[in-house]
């Protein structure tokens, strides 16, 4: 497949204009992107081309019926300048799970993996080597076929774009437990990385930000009594020395970082529980001092500690711990990702 990928190189790289010591998250873009079109019932030959705008007909169904899905990944450099990926096949499988739910044709593993590796080789100099930085990778697929009829499109576009990035969050994160709005419902698309899931989060998140919070803790759509996700991330809650996270479902994304944390924590002797956890249990643990940590987990931030949360007009602060579970687990994951320690799980892939 790699020999079949067409490569159109940029005339002049813009890399010299980038300050790699001061990278915002996801807003500086590498020189190239991979593009592959689906038409006449088949995926066409992938092309690596200069990062550039896309031209679409106003009747393209992405604009009208929202057939759009994406993934989030990262590439890293180790001390020997090797390029590494972390569990990329999990991203490919999840992208296709999302595609199935939104009636988008699934992308073959060969196009996804060989196209990604070829793109990283072309833009290898864009992968940061600074501590805490990485090359954020955004594979996405959307409907390009035209028509106002409410039905799946007959043409689609798959793109992989990349952005050298620093930390996702800076400073302490304070969250508000949501009591009215829901991120997803049973039977819906909450488990898929569909663009509409995130668009629907923006309004309630802004309401929380207007009150002085950074993010929302989502609760179940029916009773709003059970903790589900933290903003755009999975959530972990430590009560005493037990680390708890909600089970995946139609409403909750099967996070790759989440799965990694559970495996590493269990192997490190940390007691873990995957179960429903009520808001009442969290509030009670905060009141009696048993709530030790809360943190979000996802590709972008890896682990984002939560400093405090609000619920029913009350604020609860979390203690500042030395050698927290969040710090231990983040170090272990990032050390595996950057080839600083052994990888007993086979998660690390060299490009």
């Amino acid at each position: 497949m790699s020999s079949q990928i067409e490569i159109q190189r940029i005339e002049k790289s813009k890399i010299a204009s980038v300050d790699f010591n001061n990278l915002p998250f996801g807003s500086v873009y590498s020189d190239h992107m991979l593009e592959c079109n689906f038409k006449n019932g088949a995926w066409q030959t992938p092309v690596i081309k200069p990062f550039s705008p896309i031209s679409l007909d106003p009747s393209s169904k992405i604009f009208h019926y929202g057939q759009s899905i994406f993934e989030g990944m990262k590439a890293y450099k180790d001390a020997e300048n090797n390029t590494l990926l972390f569990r990329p096949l999990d991203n490919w499988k999840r992208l296709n799970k999302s595609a199935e739910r939104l009636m988008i044709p699934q992308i073959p593993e060969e196009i996804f993996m060989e196209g990604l590796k070829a793109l990283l080789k072309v833009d290898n100099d864009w992968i940061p080597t600074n501590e805490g930085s990485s090359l954020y990778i955004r594979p996405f697929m959307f409907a390009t076929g035209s028509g106002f009829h409410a039905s799946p499109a007959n043409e689609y576009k798959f793109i992989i774009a990349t952005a050298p990035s620093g930390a996702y969050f800076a400073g302490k994160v304070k969250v508000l437990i949501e009591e009215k709005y829901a991120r997803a419902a049973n039977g819906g698309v909450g488990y898929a990385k569909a663009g509409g899931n995130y668009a629907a989060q923006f309004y309630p998140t802004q309401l929380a930000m207007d009150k002085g919070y950074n993010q929302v803790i989502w609760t179940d759509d029916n009773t709003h009594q059970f903790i589900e996700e933290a903003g755009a991330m999975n959530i972990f809650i430590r009560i005493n020395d037990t680390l708890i996270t909600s089970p995946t479902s139609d409403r909750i994304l099967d996070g790759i970082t989440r799965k990694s944390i559970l495996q590493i924590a269990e192997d490190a002797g940390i007691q873990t529980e995957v179960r429903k956890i009520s808001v009442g249990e969290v509030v009670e643990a905060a009141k009696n001092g048993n709530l030790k940590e809360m943190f979000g987990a996802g590709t972008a931030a890896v682990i984002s500690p939560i400093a405090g949360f609000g619920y029913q007009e009350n604020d609860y602060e979390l203690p500042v711990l030395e050698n927290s579970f969040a710090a231990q687990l983040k170090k272990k994951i990032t050390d595996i990702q950057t080839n600083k320690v052994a990888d007993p799980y086979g998660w690390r892939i060299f490009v």
Side-chain angles (χ1 to χ4, degrees), residues 33 81 138-139 213 259:
M33 64 184 190
N81 210 39
R138 173 53 59 89
Y213 300 92
K259 291 189 287 192

Side-chain angles (χ1 to χ4, degrees), residues 214-225:
N214 304 100
Q215 268 293 352
V216 166
I217 295 290
W218 299 106
T219 50
D220 69 287
D221 64 301
N222 187 26
T223 68
H224 292 289
Q225 292 302 306

Side-chain angles (χ1 to χ4, degrees), residues 123-149:
D123 276 347
N124 194 261
D125 290 343
W126 284 87
I127 304 173
T129 56
N130 309 50
E131 188 74 26
S133 296
S134 58
L135 185 72
Y136 186 75
I137 302 167
R138 173 53 59 89
F140 59 106
M141 300 163 65
F142 59 94
T144 56
S146 62
F148 294 149
H149 188 270

Side-chain angles (χ1 to χ4, degrees), residues 38 108 164-165 171 181 190 201 213 245 279 305 323 351:
F38 180 91
S165 298
Y181 297 99
Q201 290 186 28
Y213 300 92
T245 193
V279 177
N323 201 30
V351 175

Side-chain angles (χ1 to χ4, degrees), residues 172-219:
K172 294 182 177 180
V173 176
K174 187 180 176 186
V175 298
L176 179 66
I177 295 179
E178 183 56 52
E179 300 178 60
K180 177 181 179 181
Y181 297 99
R183 177 189 171 275
N186 286 331
V189 296
Y191 68 88
K193 284 189 75 70
N197 288 347
Y198 296 80
Q201 290 186 28
F202 295 155
Y203 177 66
T205 300
Q206 185 59 53
L207 295 180
M209 291 171 69
D210 291 343
K211 295 179 180 179
Y213 300 92
N214 304 100
Q215 268 293 352
V216 166
I217 295 290
W218 299 106
T219 50

Side-chain angles (χ1 to χ4, degrees), residues 96-326:
N96 278 338
K97 187 177 180 182
S98 299
E100 180 181 39
R101 182 63 179 84
L102 272 76
M103 279 298 293
I104 296 173
Q106 299 195 6
I107 194 79
E109 178 184 346
E110 193 174 30
I111 291 177
F112 185 95
M113 287 301 301
E114 294 305 313
L116 174 56
K117 290 178 179 179
L119 179 62
L120 292 177
K121 289 175 182 176
V122 169
D123 276 347
N124 194 261
D125 290 343
W126 284 87
I127 304 173
T129 56
N130 309 50
E131 188 74 26
S133 296
S134 58
L135 185 72
Y136 186 75
I137 302 167
R138 173 53 59 89
F140 59 106
M141 300 163 65
F142 59 94
T144 56
S146 62
F148 294 149
H149 188 270
S151 59
N154 60 359
E155 294 185 0
Y156 297 85
K157 192 179 290 288
F158 170 65
I159 290 176
I160 304 177
T162 65
S165 298
Y168 189 76
F169 286 117
K172 294 182 177 180
V173 176
K174 187 180 176 186
V175 298
L176 179 66
I177 295 179
E178 183 56 52
E179 300 178 60
K180 177 181 179 181
Y181 297 99
R183 177 189 171 275
N186 286 331
V189 296
Y191 68 88
K193 284 189 75 70
N197 288 347
Y198 296 80
Q201 290 186 28
F202 295 155
Y203 177 66
T205 300
Q206 185 59 53
L207 295 180
M209 291 171 69
D210 291 343
K211 295 179 180 179
Y213 300 92
N214 304 100
Q215 268 293 352
V216 166
I217 295 290
W218 299 106
T219 50
D220 69 287
D221 64 301
N222 187 26
T223 68
H224 292 289
Q225 292 302 306
F226 293 93
I227 299 290
E228 300 227 314
E229 290 199 356
M233 297 184 287
N234 295 117
I235 187 167
F236 284 82
I237 297 167
R238 176 184 174 183
I239 296 180
N240 291 319
D241 286 330
T242 300
L243 195 59
I244 308 165
T245 193
S246 304
T248 55
S249 67
D250 284 352
R251 304 183 307 275
I252 297 177
L253 189 72
D254 186 11
I256 294 164
T257 305
R258 172 188 177 276
K259 291 189 287 192
S260 305
I261 287 171
L262 285 171
Q263 184 68 65
I264 290 170
E266 289 167 9
D267 291 350
I270 296 172
Q271 183 174 342
T272 62
E273 293 181 1
V274 179
R275 64 171 175 84
K276 293 173 70 173
I277 180 166
S278 70
V279 177
E281 182 180 358
V282 174
V283 171
E284 181 60 30
K287 288 179 177 178
N288 63 30
N290 292 332
L291 181 64
K292 306 300 183 185
E293 295 181 67
M294 296 171 65
F295 56 85
T299 297
V302 185
I303 287 177
S304 181
I306 294 169
F309 70 91
Y311 181 64
Q312 293 185 343
E313 305 300 324
N314 293 308
D315 281 330
Y316 302 87
E317 298 298 319
L318 275 81
V320 177
L321 304 178
E322 290 187 18
N323 201 30
S324 65
F325 284 178

Side-chain angles (χ1 to χ4, degrees), residues 20-38:
F20 279 83
N21 294 312
N22 186 31
L23 286 170
F25 185 87
S27 58
V28 175
Y29 309 107
S30 312
D31 282 332
H32 299 86
M33 64 184 190
L34 178 134
E35 183 177 295
C36 188
N37 294 308
F38 180 91

